[in-house]
Amino acid sequence: MKWAEHGCTYVNMRIVEKHGDLKSLIQDWSCVYSIMGSVNGWTSLQGKKPLFSFGVISDVQHADIPDGRSFLGVPRYYRHSIAVLQRAVKQWNHHGNLKFTVNLGDIVDGFCPKEHSLDTVSRVVNEFEKFNGPVYHMIGNHCLYNLPRSKLLPLLKIPSIDGCAYYDFSPTSEYRIVVLDGYDISAIGWPRDHPKTQQALKFLQDQNPNLDKNSPAGLAGIERRFLMFNGAVGEEQLRWLDSVLRDATNLKQKVVVCCHLPLDPGASSAEALLWNFDEVMALIHKYDCVKVCLAGHDHKGGHSIDSHGVHHKVFEAALECPPGTDAYGYIDVYDDRLSLFGTGKMENCDMHFNL
């Protein structure tokens, strides 16, 4: 049985046999495109066309420096990560039906020499802009190690009031995407004498007894999130989020929340969580409109479904892809689910939810 024809490639059961099963077939981008040919090609297999689709990538953390390792000893490929992004953009454009792309933060690494920060950020942004559509960024800690908000946000084209980096948009009438600023209250990114910096430093002093505030030594369980490389959503942003979710509820929209920092311990290590993830999720759980929360920061990736049925998906990092490997993907959005199709280290994930 021939399913589709794309260029000179024919896809039939012999290809499935070559890959062993359908799952491994789907993970091969070349075969995905051969099967799909177009979104309508995929529709014939699933029986339903997505409302829209969008690209995803996280933690590129590019820098023109030799490879290194994380504090846990995980290899990091600073120069290669931009090649992962370049392949991602090429595949997103080849897909032809992606409405936009979301970057979950950390486009440059903190080890990037500071005299090269501006050029490196600009170089990575230029690669993103080769995508044939809008790109929506959010800030991460490594972005803020390199540039202050005043320089970073205009480069990333993040709409901002008073230096804050949270916003929302509706790609269709049925859905709203909410982007949170996980470093709203943070010891990095704001001027040293800024009230939000001072609030963050006092919080860390109260919560983390270590001299090195990036050390979780002596902290137990989810208290290990109280580290300087994390941050919090402030009161004003919480009020804004409440109003956005109320509005989405009135409009009968489903909401996807995006934040560089994960919002659920089941999907992430404790050390990567937003400081006040519990407060943010308590607000989100007041409403039924939020169906999925997307995040980066915890490079190994993860997925969970919380007690209210909200999916939490943390994306695998582009930074930790050895040469010849990748971590990026795209998401098909339906009335009742988000379906992630990953390539390389980014795993597929089907996120069904109640209507």
Side-chain angles (χ1 to χ4, degrees):
M1 177 181 68
K2 184 169 71 175
W3 291 335
E5 178 179 347
H6 184 69
C8 62
T9 304
Y10 290 82
V11 178
N12 54 31
M13 290 307 296
R14 284 192 295 275
I15 291 181
V16 177
E17 290 167 4
K18 171 188 170 186
H19 284 258
D21 55 43
L22 186 58
K23 182 178 186 294
S24 62
L25 170 63
I26 294 301
Q27 288 176 330
D28 186 323
W29 272 85
S30 62
C31 291
V32 168
Y33 289 116
S34 299
I35 289 175
M36 292 174 64
S38 65
V39 170
N40 288 333
W42 183 246
T43 303
S44 66
L45 292 179
Q46 293 285 55
K48 189 176 183 181
K49 183 177 180 178
L51 298 171
F52 63 94
S53 304
F54 64 96
V56 288
I57 195 169
S58 189
D59 296 272
V60 175
Q61 290 183 223
H62 175 61
D64 188 13
I65 58 175
D67 296 341
R69 293 181 179 272
S70 71
F71 66 92
L72 294 175
V74 179
R76 293 182 165 183
Y77 304 92
Y78 301 108
R79 289 187 175 121
H80 175 252
S81 65
I82 199 167
V84 177
L85 173 60
Q86 290 166 340
R87 290 191 290 270
V89 171
K90 181 179 179 181
Q91 295 287 12
W92 293 333
N93 287 336
H94 184 65
H95 181 287
N97 287 285
L98 300 184
K99 200 172 185 71
F100 57 90
T101 285
V102 172
N103 162 42
L104 275 292
D106 278 357
I107 64 173
V108 292
D109 194 82
F111 284 126
C112 177
K114 297 305 170 279
E115 65 271 21
H116 299 310
S117 289
L118 183 58
D119 287 344
T120 304
V121 171
S122 298
R123 182 185 178 199
V124 179
V125 168
N126 288 340
E127 293 298 332
F128 271 106
E129 291 183 347
K130 293 176 183 177
F131 171 65
N132 298 329
V135 178
Y136 295 98
H137 295 277
M138 60 205 73
I139 55 174
N141 52 309
H142 284 268
C143 304
L144 297 172
Y145 296 148
N146 279 273
L147 293 175
R149 287 170 177 259
S150 58
K151 292 184 178 180
L152 181 66
L153 299 190
L155 282 170
L156 299 179
K157 298 180 180 177
I158 294 177
S160 175
I161 298 175
D162 297 328
C164 296
Y166 51 88
Y167 60 97
D168 69 303
F169 63 97
S170 293
T172 66
S173 59
E174 299 96 334
Y175 271 88
R176 187 176 301 203
I177 311 297
V178 174
V179 176
L180 298 182
D181 182 349
Y183 292 89
D184 184 10
I185 307 300
S186 171
I188 52 178
W190 298 103
R192 184 73 180 179
D193 59 351
H194 195 283
K196 292 189 176 186
T197 306
Q198 295 304 309
Q199 183 181 348
L201 290 172
K202 183 180 185 305
F203 178 84
L204 285 169
Q205 191 64 36
D206 292 342
Q207 300 295 332
N208 187 330
N210 297 299
L211 184 62
D212 176 5
K213 299 304 180 184
N214 276 326
S215 170
L219 299 175
I222 58 173
E223 291 183 352
R224 294 173 69 84
R225 72 189 187 277
F226 299 134
L227 305 172
M228 189 176 284
F229 57 68
N230 296 329
V233 167
E235 289 297 326
E236 185 175 346
Q237 186 178 176
L238 285 169
R239 288 192 293 272
W240 169 84
L241 177 60
D242 190 30
S243 68
V244 168
L245 298 184
R246 188 183 313 117
D247 186 52
T249 298
N250 292 337
L251 293 173
K252 295 181 169 54
Q253 291 177 318
K254 301 175 186 70
V255 176
V256 177
V257 173
C258 302
C259 183
H260 180 65
L261 294 163
L263 302 176
D264 186 69
S268 166
S269 64
E271 291 85 352
L273 291 165
L274 185 81
W275 287 344
N276 63 334
F277 77 88
D278 47 353
E279 187 177 14
V280 172
M281 289 311 304
L283 172 56
I284 285 173
H285 288 155
K286 282 176 52 181
Y287 300 90
D288 293 327
C289 57
V290 177
K291 304 302 181 183
V292 175
C293 295
L294 305 178
H297 196 50
D298 192 4
H299 291 184
K300 69 181 183 300
H303 174 248
S304 66
I305 305 173
D306 69 26
S307 59
H308 286 66
V310 178
H311 287 263
H312 296 261
K313 176 58 187 171
V314 179
F315 295 112
E316 295 80 359
L319 172 66
E320 294 180 0
C321 293
T325 64
D326 291 304
Y328 56 83
Y330 71 92
I331 292 177
D332 283 344
V333 179
Y334 299 87
D335 283 326
D336 62 347
R337 69 188 185 280
L338 270 64
S339 295
L340 168 64
F341 297 93
T343 189
K345 297 179 72 173
M346 185 174 288
E347 296 185 356
N348 296 345
C349 187
D350 213 27
M351 294 169 273
H352 288 260
F353 45 77
N354 295 326
L355 296 176

